[in-house]
Amino acid sequence: MTSPAPTTLSYRQSGVDYDLIDPLKVSAQRAAAATASHLGAHGFAEVAASRGESAYVVDVGPFYLASIVECLGSKALVADEMAKLTGHSWYGAIAQDTIAMAVNDLITVGATPLVVQAYWAAGGSDWFGDGQRAQALVQGWKAACDACGVAWGGGETPALAGIVEAGRIDLAAACTGIVNPKTRLSVGDALGPGDAIVLLDSSGIHANGLSLARKLVERLPDGWLTEVAPDLSYGAALLAPTVLYSPVTEALWKAGIAPHYCANITGHGWRKLLRHAKALRYRIHTLPPVPPVLRFIQQQAGQDDEEAYGTLNMGAGFALFVAAADAERTVQVAQAQGVGARVAGVVEAGPKELIIEPLDLHFGDDALQLR
Amino acid sequence: MTSPAPTTLSYRQSGVDYDLIDPLKVSAQRAAAATASHLGAHGFAEVAASRGESAYVVDVGPFYLASIVECLGSKALVADEMAKLTGHSWYGAIAQDTIAMAVNDLITVGATPLVVQAYWAAGGSDWFGDGQRAQALVQGWKAACDACGVAWGGGETPALAGIVEAGRIDLAAACTGIVNPKTRLSVGDALGPGDAIVLLDSSGIHANGLSLARKLVERLPDGWLTEVAPDLSYGAALLAPTVLYSPVTEALWKAGIAPHYCANITGHGWRKLLRHAKALRYRIHTLPPVPPVLRFIQQQAGQDDEEAYGTLNMGAGFALFVAAADAERTVQVAQAQGVGARVAGVVEAGPKELIIEPLDLHFGDDALQLR
């Protein structure tokens, strides 16, 4: 272990400035909302409650249609560094991360993912000339599709010299699914006091917080090969692929459990538990174990718990808000799918806030501005 | 007008090497095809004929579901150059181009586009800090959605420093639609001898061939401001937004016309007319007018007609293969939507080939390898 970092490293210092992005987001969201009326010409309508949620939902009659596009982010840069150091490609894991970004968002609304489209934009044609890397990406992509039971419909593999940096690749995935039957819709209508909060374990950093993680490596004497646990390098730990949660949500439906709401814990960390617009208090009484790489980042970056839990997933990759009577069985269903889970908290009447009791943390209504 | 270029400039010389991309494409297509069986677990099935087509189609019971993700490519680089020279943003047009890439592909299978998702990956948060440019992108995106009657569902606006170049943006769009009623499916089952080929006019280069066009500018003494027609600069002409063809296909359906097949004329130019797997001869007897910017590129790059028509759209942005009896009315319906159109050719029994009679050109079965 290296010595603690001398100064705190915040997410903004690592290069992502949400203040510059957010005004555009607001403007785009308003413009987007104004286009919903077009669906009427086809006899359809949007599910207005899905605006601002992780996937967009349209009522097409017999069922709801859900769609999403999601970006991997900068995690591929870590794979590139580790390939140099280890001599083998990490793009199999990266492929799973990319699909997880899309699928884990799509399922929050109750959708069954059906089709994934690949978006692989390289800095030049030569990216695809590295056969080992390209095959790792293809096989990892297929394996993740197999794990989620989705069809890989096709995609786009442009060479974008001048836009994407030489030697790099911009990875994204689009996913389309249906909410069928319509009673599976989980955009929060049924969310309310008394619901249990079940947290599903993450496998590590997943694909959010990588800008911070990459910035941090500059402080580590052994860089990417610094051990975060015995025989586990920082780079390898970061590259643990994101858990695919759709097998859990599909199994829950088969077990007769319909979550009232779901939150994919990505950017903004646990603040994502405040995602729904309703005024409700989320009280956490039990914490999941923190993956070694996240504890390491927290320590090395000198983050207090508020910064860490407000930025990183800290062991919780996905939140299910279910009826209290379904809570224990939800945990069992998840575990049967190989995903660690625990009843971690409860929803209460009250002002919109998140209380993480074991850490004495409080996040208020102003902690997450997504709409 | 500048003097003719001394040497021919081919597409490979401009930096895109399809030989390096295609082996990956083949591998990815095989892996993707193997995932189709997952749909059976949900009671659905892919439309196998859509594999290798411009959009992927799944039979979900009451109708078909179609989805796609498409990239703008390098056209944004031209917008960036022209913004420096003109002082205003061209991203309104660029937004339409991006949506056109997705929508014009989706409609080839007979789908009505319903939802568009935006993928705007910038080289850094500061890209979004340029308010004029960001607003042009937002408003252009909305206007294109309005023109196509689609709902803008949401999207992703990542800041990807280290992957996307500083000051640049990687733009893509995902589109989901339905084929409803199922009889609208146009994956070529009904394509056959006697069908008429109706070509819809392009507005210029659209968004394919831009690598070549950007390379060419280095040869022009006045660069982007070189006139390609009176008061029309090379840069402005290149930035004419891609025609959105979905109003035409929707109007055709309302007029009772169901195309047997459609081809979006993008990369590979007119060779895209050979897209369908059937052994058929496509005989072109009438050419659309060539937009000045495409004639200019052909001349400046020293391309013969085979290279030009095999690479660029040369005035034909979209091809409709319709029953001969519907041909003239198809033209009228398109023109009523403000899109120039003409009966340009006929489908014949024969080996797979494209004959462009007015230019004495012939493209054989080996001219287009997409599957």
Side-chain angles (χ1 to χ4, degrees), chain A residues 29-303:
Chain A
Q29 283 168 355
R30 283 182 188 157
T35 62
S37 58
H38 295 312
L39 295 167
H42 308 297
F44 304 138
E46 74 170 14
V47 174
S50 73
R51 285 274 173 204
E53 292 298 334
S54 297
Y56 183 62
V57 185
V58 174
D59 187 344
V60 291
F63 40 69
Y64 297 112
L65 186 66
S67 60
I68 184 80
V69 66
E70 281 293 324
C71 174
L72 171 66
S74 64
K75 193 167 182 176
L77 296 174
V78 181
D80 293 342
E81 294 301 317
M82 284 298 285
K84 280 185 227 161
L85 294 168
T86 65
H88 69 271
S89 177
W90 297 74
Y91 272 85
I94 286 294
Q96 177 171 330
D97 286 313
T98 309
I99 289 183
M101 291 304 98
V103 165
N104 291 348
D105 263 4
L106 190 89
I107 61 176
T108 61
V109 297
T112 299
L114 293 180
V115 178
V116 161
Q117 300 280 353
Y119 182 72
W120 303 347
S125 311
D126 58 328
W127 199 96
F128 301 108
D130 179 339
Q132 193 224 32
R133 181 174 60 186
Q135 284 309 315
L137 179 59
V138 168
Q139 295 311 320
W141 197 272
K142 178 180 184 297
C145 288
D146 290 341
C148 293
V150 301
W152 177 2
E156 187 67 338
T157 54
L160 294 182
I163 294 178
V164 174
E165 301 231 15
R168 304 299 187 187
I169 193 160
D170 177 19
L171 296 171
C175 189
T176 301
I178 62 174
V179 181
N180 183 31
K182 285 178 157 182
T183 51
R184 280 189 68 171
L185 186 70
S186 55
V187 292
D189 296 345
L191 179 67
D195 285 351
I197 303 170
V198 174
L199 295 179
L200 305 183
D201 288 358
S202 72
S203 58
I205 197 169
H206 285 187
N208 289 93
L210 272 300
S211 295
L212 173 67
R214 290 186 300 113
K215 188 79 180 164
L216 194 60
V217 80
E218 299 165 11
R219 299 182 174 187
L220 306 179
D222 294 328
W224 300 106
L225 299 182
T226 305
E227 285 197 346
V228 299
D231 290 324
L232 179 63
S233 71
Y234 182 56
L238 288 173
L239 289 167
T242 306
V243 178
L244 298 161
Y245 296 111
S246 69
V248 174
T249 51
E250 288 303 299
L252 284 173
W253 175 251
K254 289 194 180 80
I257 298 172
H260 294 171
Y261 190 61
C262 304
N264 187 20
I265 312 297
T266 54
H268 304 91
W270 285 43
R271 290 182 282 164
K272 278 280 167 70
L273 295 173
L274 290 162
R275 177 158 203 137
H276 198 270
K278 282 183 181 174
L280 291 167
R281 180 185 300 119
Y282 305 92
R283 185 182 299 276
I284 302 295
H285 51 65
T286 304
L287 297 177
V290 179
V293 69
L294 296 181
R295 186 64 78 201
F296 179 85
I297 289 172
Q298 179 183 12
Q299 289 169 344
Q300 293 295 317
Q303 292 183 335

Side-chain angles (χ1 to χ4, degrees), chain A residues 24 38 119 146 163 165 170, chain B residues 38 119 128 146 163 165 170:
Chain A
L24 172 77
H38 295 312
Y119 182 72
D146 290 341
I163 294 178
E165 301 231 15
D170 177 19
Chain B
H38 295 312
Y119 183 72
F128 302 107
D146 289 342
I163 294 177
E165 300 228 14
D170 176 19

Side-chain angles (χ1 to χ4, degrees), chain B residues 274-331:
Chain B
L274 291 162
R275 177 159 203 135
H276 199 272
K278 283 183 182 174
L280 290 168
R281 180 185 299 120
Y282 306 92
R283 185 182 298 278
I284 302 295
H285 52 65
T286 305
L287 297 177
V290 179
V293 71
L294 296 181
R295 186 64 78 201
F296 180 85
I297 289 171
Q298 179 183 12
Q299 290 169 345
Q300 294 295 317
Q303 292 183 334
D304 59 20
D305 286 334
E306 182 171 3
E307 175 86 12
Y309 280 78
T311 309
L312 304 167
N313 74 60
M314 297 307 277
F318 198 87
L320 296 158
F321 302 78
V322 299
D326 291 332
E328 285 300 339
R329 211 152 51 87
T330 297
V331 169

